[in-house]
Amino acid sequence: DSNGTMVKEGDTAPDFTLQDDAGNDVTLSQFKGKNNVILYFYPKDNTPGCTKEACSFRDRYEEIKLSDGVILGVSSDSVDSHSGFKKKYNLPFTLLSDPGEKVRSLYGVKKSLIFIPGRKTFVIDKNGIVTSVTEGLSPGKHITQASSSMKNLIDSVNEVESQTKEEENGKEECDV
């Protein structure tokens, strides 16, 4: 059923387990409490738009890692296809195989142009909450919005940490 629920900002990201490009199981909840996650759904390995998008994520990978980020790319391609695509373009992040498009449906990623699997990117914070959703076939927009959302997550965490330190410092002064 391609009319899955529509996951939007503020929702808890639905958990799932899929095989990665090496045939290992990867579960979304394994990143909870540790990493911010860019979960991006794309139509197909080795097509021009998808290659451009994957290479854009690759080129921003170090910056995303600095934001405690991990990238998970999802398409219905096989584990072998993902493995070849990853090697060919030297992709430093995980590609997940969703052969029955169950996870795509779980996230409400609809087909575009009737038969092409849609392109949609979700940014999920360390608490498992979706903080940003980008839709549409333009690959460039996805990496720009995702990395900007990651930066915002880190900025807000740093802000909270510095406020907490200020409050702690304030408490010490009051106790004196």
Side-chain angles (χ1 to χ4, degrees):
D1 175 28
S2 64
N3 296 335
T5 54
M6 189 63 77
V7 175
K8 53 196 183 310
E9 280 182 39
D11 288 354
T12 298
D15 201 17
F16 62 83
T17 302
L18 291 173
Q19 281 196 319
D20 70 7
D21 44 83
N24 303 309
D25 282 351
V26 173
T27 301
L28 181 65
S29 57
Q30 76 189 51
F31 301 103
K32 199 169 179 179
K34 291 185 283 207
N35 297 99
N36 297 305
V37 177
I38 293 177
L39 175 66
Y40 84 97
F41 292 86
Y42 65 98
K44 194 165 176 43
D45 290 345
N46 294 303
T47 55
C50 299
T51 299
K52 179 181 178 188
E53 183 177 28
C55 291
S56 296
F57 278 120
R58 176 198 65 202
D59 297 344
R60 302 287 275 278
Y61 182 70
E62 289 305 316
E63 167 190 329
I64 289 164
K65 248 175 50 174
L66 289 173
S67 304
D68 293 333
V70 294
I71 302 171
L72 303 175
V74 181
S75 79
S76 57
D77 294 296
S78 68
V79 168
D80 285 347
S81 172
H82 279 340
S83 179
F85 185 50
K86 188 172 173 165
K87 281 191 190 99
K88 184 174 181 182
Y89 294 101
N90 197 20
L91 305 176
F93 53 85
T94 302
L95 298 176
L96 299 173
S97 179
D98 183 20
E101 299 193 350
K102 286 184 178 65
V103 175
R104 180 178 289 277
S105 177
L106 183 66
Y107 276 77
V109 183
K110 295 187 173 30
K111 293 191 182 303
S112 43
L113 307 176
I114 301 166
F115 60 92
I116 298 172
R119 185 184 306 280
K120 200 165 188 177
T121 302
F122 298 86
V123 175
I124 302 161
D125 71 12
K126 291 179 184 178
N127 299 316
I129 305 299
V130 175
T131 61
S132 162
V133 180
T134 308
E135 251 181 305
L137 283 177
S138 164
K141 188 171 91 170
H142 289 257
I143 180 64
T144 306
Q145 291 195 349
S147 55
S148 151
S149 296
M150 276 289 186
K151 189 180 177 323
N152 291 342
L153 280 177
I154 291 305
D155 289 347
S156 65
V157 165
N158 290 341
E159 212 171 279
V160 168
E161 283 175 0
S162 69
Q163 280 175 350
T164 306
K165 281 180 190 148
E166 282 173 24
E167 285 168 15
E168 286 169 5
N169 292 341
K171 280 181 194 156
E172 287 168 18
E173 288 168 16
C174 294
D175 292 343
V176 174

